[in-house]
Amino acid sequence: MDIDSEFQNLNLKSPEDGAPMQMDAEESAQVKSKGKEKEAISASMKKLHIEESSSGSARSSSINFKRKPVIIIVVGMAGSGKTTFLHRLVCHTQASNIQGYVVNLDPAVMTLPFGANIDIRDTVRYKEVMKQFNLGPNGGILTSLNLFATKFDEVVEMIEKRADQLDYVLVDTPGQIEIFTWSASGAIITEAFASTFPTIVTYVVDTPRSASPATFMSNMLYACSILYKTRLPLVLAFNKVDVAQHKFALEWMEDFEVFHAALDSDHSYTSTLTRSLSLVLDEFYKNLRSVGVSAVSGAGMEEFFKAIEASAEEYLESYRADLDKRWAEKQRLEEERMRENMDKLRKDMGKSGGETVVLSTGLKDQKAGGKTPMDEEDEGEEDEDDYVRFSEEEDEDVIDEDEDVIDEDEDEEVGRFSF
C-alpha cells in the first residue's frame, strides 16, 4: 500500500510543477555534457600517459611522514672529528639499548671504525669514477655522491621498512663539507630525509682550533649558512672538549661584549669586521643549541641526545609546517606547468585538425632529389679535388712542351756545328 500511495503521489502533480521539471532536465543535461567533456579529457590524458593531479597530492608527504626514527646528519670541517664522533654515537646507542642505523656517504674513506648498514662504497667505486671521468679527488667525491643520489629513494624505502624498530639514523658525510652542503646531491639527500622523517643537522666544531676569535667567527658563519641552506634544526657539537673546554665559546655566544673584549688587542680590519659580524649573529645564537662533546672520552653524549630530542620536537612544530608549504608550492607550480603543456597541446591539435603532422628532418627532400647542406659541402670538396687534379695535369703538359722546345733548340745548335 505504501508503494502504491507513493506512486500515486509521484503521478499526481499539478501543471504548475512542469516548469521546474523542465529546468531540472536542462540542468541535468548540462551536467551530463560537462561530465562527458571531463571523461573525454581524462581519456585523452590517459592516452598521453599523464596522470591527473588530485587535491590530496600536496598532502601525500604528510601522510607518509613518520615520527621516528630521527635522522642525524653529521657535517663539519675536515679534521674536526666527524667520523670519530659518529663512532662514539654508535657506541653510545649500543650501550644504551637504543636502536640505531648507520649510513655512510663518504666514498673516499679507506676504513671505518664502525659498521655501516648502508655504505656508498658498496654501490660506487670512488677510484673507478676518478679514472673513468678523469677527475681529481674532490671531483671524484662529488660525482660519486651524485651517482648515489639518483638511487637514494631506495635508501629511504629501506629505512621506512625498519622505521618501527629504529630510534635514530646516523649519517656520516664526506670530509669536504662544501661537497655535501653546497651540491645538488646533498640537497636531494637532505630533502629526501626531511620529507619522510624528523631530520636534524649536527655541525661538529673543532674546539681547540676555534679558540681564536677570527676562527670562531668563521665557524659560526659556516653554521649559519648551513642553517639557511638546509632549513632544518641545527645542533652545534663542540668536539674535543677533553683537550680544550668550550666554555669560552658559550660565553662569546651569550654575551657579545665578552667577545669584543677578546678582540681588544687586535685593531686590524679583520677585527673590526669580526665585531660587526658578532652583532649580526646575536639573533642566530639565541635560537641555537650547542653542546660540548668528546669523541674520545664520550663526554657530553647524554646532553647531545637531549638536544636532538628537543630539536626533533621543534622540527615537528615549526620546520615541518614550512616544509609542507614548500611542498604545496612545488606541487602547484608543477600543476601549472602541466596545465600549460596541455593547453599548448590542445592548441597544436586544433591547428592540425587531427591530421598527422610530418616533421621536416631533411630525409624527404633528399629522397625527392634535393640536396642537403652536407651533400653540397661534399660536392664542393669534390669540385676542388677535380680542379687541383686538372691544374696538375695542365702543369705537367706545360712542362712536357717546354722540354720539347728545349730538345728542338739543342738539335738546331748541333746542326749548325756539324760538318
Side-chain angles (χ1 to χ4, degrees), residues 243-294:
V243 179
Q245 290 294 325
H246 69 295
K247 292 182 180 179
F248 71 92
L250 297 179
E251 292 178 356
W252 288 352
M253 295 168 64
E254 293 173 358
D255 191 356
F256 65 89
E257 292 182 356
V258 178
F259 183 73
H260 289 182
L263 294 169
D264 288 340
S265 59
D266 190 1
H267 300 284
S268 63
Y269 169 74
T270 305
S271 175
T272 305
L273 180 62
T274 306
R275 291 171 188 269
S276 302
L277 291 174
S278 65
L279 298 175
V280 173
L281 294 179
D282 186 53
E283 187 67 25
F284 169 68
Y285 295 149
K286 290 180 181 179
N287 300 318
L288 189 63
R289 293 182 176 86
S290 57
V291 182
V293 296
S294 175

Side-chain angles (χ1 to χ4, degrees), residues 237-398:
F238 288 95
N239 196 16
K240 305 179 183 179
V241 294
D242 54 330
V243 179
Q245 290 294 325
H246 69 295
K247 292 182 180 179
F248 71 92
L250 297 179
E251 292 178 356
W252 288 352
M253 295 168 64
E254 293 173 358
D255 191 356
F256 65 89
E257 292 182 356
V258 178
F259 183 73
H260 289 182
L263 294 169
D264 288 340
S265 59
D266 190 1
H267 300 284
S268 63
Y269 169 74
T270 305
S271 175
T272 305
L273 180 62
T274 306
R275 291 171 188 269
S276 302
L277 291 174
S278 65
L279 298 175
V280 173
L281 294 179
D282 186 53
E283 187 67 25
F284 169 68
Y285 295 149
K286 290 180 181 179
N287 300 318
L288 189 63
R289 293 182 176 86
S290 57
V291 182
V293 296
S294 175
V296 176
S297 64
M301 289 293 109
E302 294 291 340
E303 291 78 6
F304 174 76
F305 278 98
K306 288 180 181 178
I308 291 295
E309 290 296 331
S311 299
E313 293 295 331
E314 182 184 1
Y315 173 86
L316 295 174
E317 292 175 0
S318 58
Y319 287 87
R320 180 63 191 172
D322 180 63
L323 183 64
D324 288 338
K325 289 180 181 178
R326 284 185 286 157
W327 181 262
E329 181 67 17
K330 185 177 180 181
Q331 290 289 328
R332 186 184 64 80
L333 295 175
E334 183 68 18
E335 290 177 0
E336 288 181 358
R337 186 185 64 82
M338 291 179 62
R339 195 179 300 110
E340 290 176 358
N341 291 338
M342 287 298 299
D343 293 340
K344 185 177 179 181
L345 179 61
R346 291 192 185 95
K347 290 180 181 179
D348 294 341
M349 293 176 66
K351 290 180 181 179
S352 61
E355 298 179 356
T356 304
V357 178
V358 180
L359 298 177
S360 177
T361 59
L363 298 176
K364 185 177 179 181
D365 298 335
Q366 187 176 1
K367 289 180 180 179
K371 296 180 181 179
T372 61
M374 294 296 293
D375 296 335
E376 293 178 357
E377 291 181 0
D378 295 338
E379 290 181 359
E381 292 177 358
E382 291 177 359
D383 294 339
E384 291 179 358
D385 295 338
D386 295 338
Y387 177 75
V388 171
R389 291 173 187 171
F390 182 71
S391 60
E392 289 177 355
E393 291 176 358
E394 285 183 347
D395 293 339
E396 290 177 359
D397 294 338
V398 171

